[in-house]
Amino acid sequence: MPRSKRAKVVHLSKVTKKGKELTLKTFANIQECVAKYPYLYVFSVDNMRNTYLKDVRTQLADSRLFFGKTKVMAAALGRSATDEPAPNTSLLTPHLSGTIGLLFSPRTPAEIKAYFANFHPLDYARAGTTATRRFVLPAGTLYSRGGEIPIEEDLPLAHSIEPTLRKWGVPTRLVKGKVELEGEYVVCQEGEVLGSGQTTLLKMFGVATAEFGVDLKAYWVKEKAEVVVLAKGEAGDGEGDSDGEDELVDDDEMMD
């Protein structure tokens, strides 16, 4: 067959994959931080949002945060005493599962616990998450906040939104340019798994139910080469350092 004379796209630049390079860089950076910082915290995240994680990085500017690649984190901290970069950092490795991050910091456990105890911004829920409260649209003229605030402080819902409400199953109608609801409409019940329609309605009426939170799982103290394991939710109590409630892990316990 004769060769095609159609114009061909010629790429003048090539994009190289940085997967392995980035992995090696992350590995080296984590081990560098082990040598630099006196404390290392392992934390998990509820209702992950990149925006709020960036806020943590900004507000804890004297610290270094790593998030995501748990296998790289585990390799950098060591899987046993033979390959750990500092004494007992490998004892943190069993806690590196799920939505996990590392925080290297000069700040004491009391300071970090107090910080995260007071950092719980709200955001809109996503489909597949569990509703934390019941939300009902009241009968009558619908307002922009769906009854969440007094009518005197609210504005009637724009008539252009009415078709969208009907699309998501809300039995509304237009009466003299206002969006009306004949009876109460339950958007969601507490404990219910939310669908995309429900999350859309919650966002439409400004109802934020997803609470971003950081839960400390364990931390390492360089000076004592100790790893302290925290009980679930203990990191958010803001009560300061461990006073008998934290569990100290040593090599013998890990071998069991």
Side-chain angles (χ1 to χ4, degrees):
M1 294 180 62
R3 297 183 63 181
S4 173
K5 294 182 180 180
R6 294 176 62 186
K8 294 183 179 180
V9 177
V10 179
H11 297 284
L12 300 178
S13 61
K14 292 184 178 181
V15 179
T16 56
K17 293 184 178 180
K18 297 183 179 180
K20 186 174 182 180
E21 179 183 338
L22 183 61
T23 295
L24 293 174
K25 183 178 180 181
T26 302
F27 180 93
N29 286 341
I30 289 175
Q31 293 204 329
E32 181 183 320
C33 287
V34 169
K36 179 179 178 180
Y37 292 92
Y39 301 100
L40 166 55
Y41 303 89
V42 176
F43 65 89
S44 61
V45 177
D46 293 325
N47 294 307
M48 173 62 190
R49 300 289 189 275
N50 284 328
T51 301
Y52 300 133
L53 205 59
K54 288 178 181 178
D55 290 341
V56 172
R57 291 180 191 271
T58 301
Q59 294 170 19
L60 299 180
D62 57 351
S63 306
R64 186 75 184 273
L65 190 151
F66 296 86
F67 192 83
K69 297 182 178 293
T70 54
K71 289 184 179 180
V72 179
M73 295 177 189
L77 296 180
R79 300 185 183 280
S80 66
T82 58
D83 60 354
E84 56 189 12
N88 287 338
T89 57
S90 64
L91 300 183
L92 291 174
T93 301
H95 303 286
L96 301 179
S97 62
T99 311
I100 292 295
L102 297 178
L103 176 67
F104 291 90
S105 180
R107 306 192 188 198
T108 65
E111 294 175 290
I112 295 297
K113 286 181 179 182
Y115 171 77
F116 286 124
N118 295 301
F119 189 76
H120 293 283
L122 284 175
D123 207 330
Y124 297 113
R126 293 174 177 172
T129 58
T130 302
T132 57
R133 52 162 290 191
R134 185 174 187 261
F135 177 57
V136 179
L137 293 174
T141 301
L142 283 182
Y143 286 76
S144 63
R145 293 300 309 280
E148 290 291 285
I149 60 176
I151 293 177
E152 297 77 19
E153 301 174 16
D154 208 347
L155 294 171
L157 202 64
H159 66 84
S160 58
I161 298 177
E162 198 269 339
T164 304
L165 290 172
R166 282 190 283 107
K167 173 186 174 182
W168 293 116
V170 184
T172 55
R173 61 191 180 115
L174 282 177
V175 179
K176 297 181 180 180
K178 293 185 178 181
V179 182
E180 297 282 338
L181 190 61
E182 291 187 0
E184 287 187 346
Y185 181 80
V186 179
V187 176
C188 64
Q189 298 281 8
E190 182 178 353
E192 180 183 4
V193 177
L194 297 171
S196 58
Q198 292 167 303
T199 56
T200 299
L201 290 172
L202 289 171
K203 187 174 183 178
M204 184 182 295
F205 289 98
V207 180
T209 61
E211 185 179 79
F212 176 91
V214 172
D215 187 42
L216 295 180
K217 301 186 71 176
Y219 61 86
W220 172 77
V221 183
K222 178 192 290 186
E223 185 179 5
K224 299 180 180 179
E226 291 179 349
V227 167
V228 178
V229 178
L230 301 171
K232 174 70 174 177
E234 186 179 345
D237 58 15
E239 293 293 330
D241 206 344
S242 57
D243 294 318
E245 295 184 5
D246 298 337
E247 178 187 354
L248 186 62
V249 178
D250 56 29
D251 290 303
D252 293 335
E253 289 184 57
M254 288 301 298
M255 292 174 63
D256 290 341

